[in-house]
Amino acid sequence: MFSEFLQYLFTGITIGATYALIALGFTLIYNASHVINFAQGEFLMIGGMATVSLTSMGVPMILAVVLAVLLAGILGIALQRFAIAPAKQADVVTLIIITIGASIFIRGLAQLIWGKEYHVMANFSSDEPIQVFGAVLNSQSLWVLGIGAVLVVGLVLFFTRTLIGKAILATSMNKEAARLVGIRTQMVLMLAFMVSALLGSVAGIVVAPITFTSYDIGIILGLKGFVAAAIGGLGSGVGAVVGGLALGVVEAMAAGYLSSDYKDAVAFSMILLVLFFLPRGLFGAKVVERV
Amino acid sequence: MLSKMMRRAGKCAAVAAAGLMMMSAQAAEPIKIGSFLSVTGPASFLGDPELKTLQMYVEKINEEGGVLGRQLELIHYDDVGNASSARNFASRLLRSDQVDIIVGGSTTGATMAAVPLVEQAGVPFISLAGAVVITTPVKKWVFKTPQTDRMAAERVLGDMKARGLTKVGLISGTGGFGSSGRAQTLEVAEMMGVEIVADETYSGSDTDMTAQLTNIRNTDGVQAVLNFGFGQGPAIVTRNYNQLGIDLPFYQSHGVASDSFLELAGDSAEGLRLPASPLLVPDSLPESDPQKEVVQNYKAEYEARWDSKVSTFGAYAYDGLMLAVRAIEAAGSTDPEAVRNALESISGYVGVTGEFNMSPEDHNGLDADSFRILEVQNGEWKLID
């Protein structure tokens, strides 16, 4: 009985951690620009795919990971420079549509380069599952959780302790005012896209051994990550993490205790409930518009 | 009198000449083979080898002089695995491209979306999708090349019974293939006296099926597990199954019968069994097997041309195209009614998938024995039955 519960919990937390990492990427860009970057899933895909193809070309794993993350970072900058920045004063909805277009473009490119098959990545450490009180835990889940935790702490420090982090926050609060105090807002936006791309690609790399990876993996995981971010309240880092974990655990518990048929319906109802009672999500800021 | 005869002969000659001219004009006109396939999207592993197969053999047939002295022209669209675009493309093939025959429809959903249009237009249609609903009940213009999922269920449950396993835990995908397979398995199980003790599902985009498998493992009396699904889902199920250390015989459906599945599932696939086309084990077939040569040729030609491994799905397209060509040759024209009748009376055609014996009651023409039971041993397919 207990081992069952524990098994569902492990499963839920692993999936949830993945969602949380993706949700964080959404949060970061939302914070800086109020744009929801629907190409976030594509950063994730680039991370996984680039690592797989580099390792299959004989590049050592660690180097492949670094190169893949760099590639995603460059892609993030390129996205901001060549797609978002030229739109200048366009409103937020237009920018969001641009990110959707960019994601389709990146996906198409990835399909041309890497083909349409699913690719496998080996577990970072042993393939042997870990036994805990009768439940099993994939060793890769520990990597997902560990790296996820490190990234979350890193992000918190980045926003509270570094000048660049604070500049991003300032830009999100008021672009004009930020510019007046000497913040180069275009640069800040570019940084936000880059950091969020780095974040997404790391997420894509750590989950690839569990989920496999393919050119279109970003659609599914990106959507779930967005849902997690919305539950947590777009723009809140803590919210993204809580939202992701909650979504994962609810999905797993629903599959285990209710019926696997209703799993997605349960997750969906959860979003509706949260947004119905807390339109800004669990941790959304209560912003008052002053006129 | 004489002049009358002369005039009549002249008239005959004129008519004959006009007829000849018309015939030669017709000869120059290609036979149009239409196709809509899921070349990209979640079912791309079906559509991609199917399209490559069609392209390759249309080229080959044209080089060898075409069919009835006419060249083949392949007109194809990518439906991305989406039923409504499949319907649009089918409509375009019928109305504006005015194709002579359609060979396509990678998924059951795409096929069924096109069926009403095809039936209305009265154009022969050979589907490459699996579900039993495509040809049962028989539809006048619709044929298909893969075995039905019902046959797969019969074959799997039969093999289980032979091993003395009668209590089965079932897990299936919620997509068209999985849910149809699930329904057929439940029906066949009842007929064969096999009990389905657990019944779980997962959606195609799920990345972890541990919760469902835990439920199956904890079900009392379960003796074997069957997974019905395609795509990356079954590979994740296989990995989770192995991680959970479930110590029961494990079966998959023909939906994963390809070498790329072995790559994805890795060591965790060891010991699992599935019903599959002989294409996966061409060299282990006995010399007496009539399919051996066809299967070996297809594999060699495909792999030489595309530098990638063959899959059973491409073979469905091969059989579909060859059946179409055969029927057009037998009909002697591309008249839809004649081609349809010829298709319906094809018998003894040995394809890659099996031996086809069509009839007015059977637009699939295969039996369950065309599936072979394979087992994964040391990372390779091994022919069991």
Side-chain angles (χ1 to χ4, degrees):
Chain A
M1 213 48 219
F2 175 67
S3 71
E4 243 171 70
F5 174 77
L6 209 60
Q7 186 65 60
Y8 301 149
L9 193 67
F10 284 164
T11 304
I13 289 180
T14 309
I15 314 175
T18 318
Y19 298 163
L21 283 181
I22 306 161
L24 274 175
F26 276 108
T27 303
L28 199 64
I29 291 181
Y30 182 81
N31 267 345
S33 60
H34 286 263
V35 168
I36 294 157
N37 172 28
F38 280 105
Q40 189 62 31
E42 267 46 63
F43 295 147
L44 178 112
M45 177 271 292
I46 293 284
M49 293 293 275
T51 310
V52 168
S53 69
L54 285 170
T55 45
S56 72
M57 277 158 33
V59 180
M61 183 72 179
I62 308 260
L63 188 60
V65 169
V66 172
L67 288 177
V69 172
L70 281 181
L71 176 68
I74 293 168
L75 196 74
I77 295 175
L79 175 64
Q80 202 277 334
R81 290 285 338 141
F82 299 122
I84 303 288
K88 294 236 156 74
Q89 300 303 321
D91 58 16
V92 169
V93 179
T94 313
L95 294 179
I96 291 175
I97 293 171
I98 291 176
T99 68
I100 295 177
S103 89
I104 295 172
F105 174 73
I106 297 171
R107 211 179 302 140
L109 218 56
Q111 186 192 320
L112 276 181
I113 300 171
W114 289 304
K116 282 168 277 194
E117 307 85 40
Y118 278 88
H119 298 267
V120 203
M121 196 193 291
N123 273 1
F124 288 7
S125 43
S126 116
D127 273 340
E128 282 299 302
I130 301 156
Q131 302 278 344
V132 190
F133 299 115
V136 292
L137 186 62
N138 186 344
S139 65
Q140 190 64 26
S141 300
L142 293 179
W143 281 101
V144 175
L145 290 174
I147 290 179
V150 169
L151 287 180
V152 169
V153 172
L155 268 187
V156 170
L157 291 178
F158 174 73
F159 276 119
T160 53
R161 298 289 162 83
T162 68
L163 206 57
I164 299 170
K166 286 176 182 164
I168 293 181
L169 282 184
T171 309
S172 82
M173 301 274 179
N174 192 327
K175 216 170 173 178
E176 298 301 313
R179 205 174 288 152
L180 283 177
V181 294
I183 295 172
R184 293 168 64 192
T185 50
Q186 280 303 325
M187 189 61 100
V188 163
L189 277 181
M190 211 166 77
L191 270 172
F193 271 85
M194 187 192 74
V195 176
S196 135
L198 297 180
L199 208 62
S201 62
V202 172
I205 294 166
V206 288
V207 302
I210 300 179
T211 60
F212 303 125
T213 182
S214 76
Y215 79 98
D216 60 356
I217 190 96
I219 307 177
I220 307 148
L221 289 177
L223 204 64
K224 289 281 176 72
F226 170 66
V227 168
I231 293 176
L234 277 168
S236 158
V238 183
V241 174
V242 174
L245 289 177
L247 186 63
V249 171
V250 167
E251 272 188 7
M253 293 290 169
Y257 286 117
L258 285 168
S259 153
S260 36
D261 289 339
Y262 301 133
K263 181 187 52 132
D264 289 335
V266 169
F268 189 57
S269 333
M270 184 174 99
I271 303 151
L272 284 181
L273 274 180
V274 168
L275 294 186
F276 192 68
F277 291 109
L278 297 160
R280 290 187 174 277
L282 292 173
F283 295 85
K286 294 187 175 49
V287 180
V288 182
E289 293 277 346
R290 290 198 187 112
V291 184
Chain B
M1 193 67 191
L2 194 75
S3 67
K4 212 177 191 181
M5 268 178 72
M6 283 289 281
R7 222 181 295 152
R8 208 173 268 173
K11 247 185 205 167
C12 276
V15 169
L20 270 174
M21 270 168 71
M22 268 173 71
M23 269 176 74
S24 64
Q26 205 185 20
E29 211 166 89
I31 297 174
K32 288 183 181 173
I33 296 185
S35 188
F36 56 96
L37 298 166
S38 309
V39 183
T40 58
S44 64
F45 66 100
L46 301 173
D48 189 50
E50 285 165 357
L51 179 60
K52 284 178 174 165
T53 301
L54 288 182
Q55 286 174 329
M56 167 181 166
Y57 281 97
V58 163
E59 263 171 43
K60 191 168 175 236
I61 291 169
N62 284 341
E63 274 166 24
E64 289 166 1
V67 179
L68 303 177
R70 292 163 65 185
Q71 294 280 293
L72 297 181
E73 182 189 346
L74 179 68
I75 302 168
H76 63 87
Y77 298 105
D78 177 10
D79 65 31
V80 204
N82 178 329
S84 71
S85 12
R87 192 184 156 89
N88 290 339
F89 288 133
S91 154
R92 200 189 293 182
L93 287 171
L94 295 167
R95 292 209 186 121
S96 44
D97 300 324
Q98 305 212 312
V99 295
D100 296 305
I101 190 166
I102 298 179
V103 179
S106 305
T107 66
T108 299
T111 297
M112 292 311 282
V115 161
L117 296 172
V118 169
E119 287 283 298
Q120 201 186 14
V123 169
F125 173 34
I126 304 175
S127 165
L128 312 178
V132 74
V133 290
I134 298 170
T135 49
T136 312
V138 173
K139 295 162 195 71
K140 190 174 176 203
W141 296 95
V142 184
F143 298 79
K144 82 187 199 77
T145 52
Q147 297 96 338
T148 60
D149 40 8
R150 191 181 184 89
M151 293 175 197
E154 278 170 20
R155 214 53 179 99
V156 165
L157 296 182
D159 192 64
M160 284 179 179
K161 271 187 87 173
R163 293 165 91 184
L165 311 165
T166 54
K167 293 192 168 181
V168 177
L170 178 65
I171 177 165
S172 52
T174 49
F177 181 82
S179 57
S180 168
R182 174 181 168 273
Q184 297 303 324
T185 307
L186 292 177
E187 270 185 49
V188 172
E190 199 162 314
M191 278 168 43
M192 295 180 72
V194 173
E195 203 181 335
I196 304 292
V197 288
D199 183 9
E200 298 280 334
T201 58
Y202 56 89
S203 86
S205 57
D206 282 3
T207 52
D208 192 305
M209 289 69 160
T210 313
Q212 290 93 318
L213 289 171
T214 305
N215 278 347
I216 292 182
R217 183 182 61 178
N218 294 348
T219 306
D220 282 337
V222 58
Q223 291 171 326
V225 180
L226 165 63
N227 172 38
F228 229 113
F230 75 60
Q232 93 287 16
I236 297 179
V237 171
T238 308
R239 283 190 165 197
N240 292 160
Y241 193 86
N242 194 41
Q243 280 157 9
L244 285 172
I246 304 177
D247 199 16
L248 300 169
F250 185 42
Y251 285 79
Q252 289 273 3
S253 73
H254 56 306
V256 304
S258 70
D259 287 338
S260 59
F261 170 76
L262 286 184
E263 254 166 62
L264 288 182
D267 292 342
S268 38
E270 208 55 34
L272 74 76
R273 286 190 176 189
L274 49 68
S277 150
L279 183 59
L280 292 184
V281 285
D283 300 328
S284 342
L285 294 174
E287 289 302 328
S288 59
D289 196 310
Q291 278 179 267
K292 183 158 186 159
E293 200 191 329
V294 188
V295 168
Q296 281 180 327
N297 282 346
Y298 172 65
K299 185 178 159 74
E301 283 171 334
Y302 185 96
E303 290 182 351
R305 166 72 197 269
W306 298 106
D307 195 26
S308 65
K309 290 223 168 180
V310 271
S311 82
T312 31
F313 314 114
Y316 299 149
Y318 172 86
D319 288 336
L321 182 66
M322 293 308 161
L323 285 172
V325 165
R326 236 170 194 251
I328 292 171
E329 272 170 354
S333 78
T334 50
D335 174 57
E337 189 73 47
V339 173
R340 194 206 77 89
N341 291 340
L343 262 179
E344 202 169 72
S345 47
I346 279 180
S347 76
Y349 163 69
V350 179
V352 179
T353 314
E355 187 184 312
F356 289 85
N357 291 298
M358 301 279 187
S359 73
E361 294 79 40
D362 184 1
H363 279 193
N364 180 203
L366 293 168
D367 56 20
D369 285 337
S370 57
F371 270 129
R372 316 294 162 105
I373 293 282
L374 309 184
E375 186 175 297
V376 180
Q377 288 180 7
N378 303 320
E380 280 175 13
W381 303 111
K382 174 100 196 304
L383 184 66
I384 297 290
D385 181 17

